[in-house]
Structures are given as structure tokens and as C-alpha cells.
Amino acid sequence: MAAVPQTASIFRVDKFVVPEAAREKFVERLRTIQALLDGFEGCLQNLVLEQISGPGTFNFVTIVEWASQEAMDNARKIATAEYARTNFNPQEFMQQLGITADMGNYGGIR
């Protein structure tokens, strides 16, 4: 996989399959995470999208645009510390609610 130059925006795209019974708890957690990320330096855009039509597998998508790899790495460190402080384990949370995810970092095609 080709490396994206450090000056290019980095997009974190996470796609989720969320059972209807887990929707409320999941959305509540997304709002908490979105508020946390919005405060980080280098967070250019932070979207939470819910599928409203179509045959897709994933019913939620989050897209966060970071100014650089460095900004994303710094945010990850701070978020990890916050999760430890609040005793939140994202993998355990998703497993308990029956949520599956496909997560990755993306760069623009030039």
C-alpha cells in the first residue's frame, strides 16, 4: 500500500453494523467520541452518518479528516488516555452490543 505524504489530509473511516437494539447506546457513545475529537488540534472534519436507504451492509459510518498523520497520532494518544481514565474499552463495548466494524485510514487519490 502506498504511503500518503505527511502534508496530505488523512481520513479515518469507520463503518459499523449496529443492531437496532444497540442503536441508542451506540449513538450516545458516538456523540461522546465526536465531542472529544472535535476538540483536538488538526481535526478538520468529523462526520457521523447513519444510513437512511439502500442495500448496504453498514448502517453507520464515521469519517474524521485529520490535517496530518501527526495530528491523528497525537489525537489517538490523548483519546487512549481518556478511555483509560474513564475505563472505556471500545472493543469490549462493541462486542457486548453485537456491533461489527470495518475501520481504516484513507488518503486522497491524486
Side-chain angles (χ1 to χ4, degrees):
M1 209 172 274
V4 176
Q6 288 292 334
T7 57
S9 289
I10 302 293
F11 295 84
R12 174 65 183 208
V13 180
D14 297 343
K15 301 170 290 238
F16 303 94
V17 177
V18 180
E20 184 60 35
R23 184 189 178 281
E24 187 176 326
K25 283 185 179 182
F26 182 73
V27 168
E28 181 181 316
R29 176 49 62 176
L30 281 181
R31 287 183 179 135
T32 299
I33 293 169
Q34 188 176 34
L36 177 67
L37 296 179
D38 279 343
F40 290 152
E41 185 176 334
C43 181
L44 304 177
Q45 187 173 201
N46 186 358
L47 303 172
V48 175
L49 307 170
E50 183 174 12
Q51 183 179 15
I52 57 173
S53 68
T57 302
F58 301 100
N59 54 342
F60 282 89
V61 176
T62 62
I63 303 170
V64 182
E65 180 181 6
W66 295 99
S68 66
Q69 182 69 48
E70 181 181 17
M72 187 175 71
D73 291 345
N74 289 338
R76 182 179 293 123
K77 289 176 191 173
I78 296 167
T80 299
E82 178 64 14
Y83 290 166
R85 185 187 71 76
T86 60
N87 200 30
F88 174 67
N89 181 319
Q91 292 78 19
E92 187 177 285
F93 174 79
M94 290 192 299
Q95 184 178 25
Q96 288 173 349
L97 294 179
I99 296 168
T100 57
D102 177 38
M103 302 175 176
N105 300 329
Y106 294 78
I109 297 175
R110 298 175 200 238

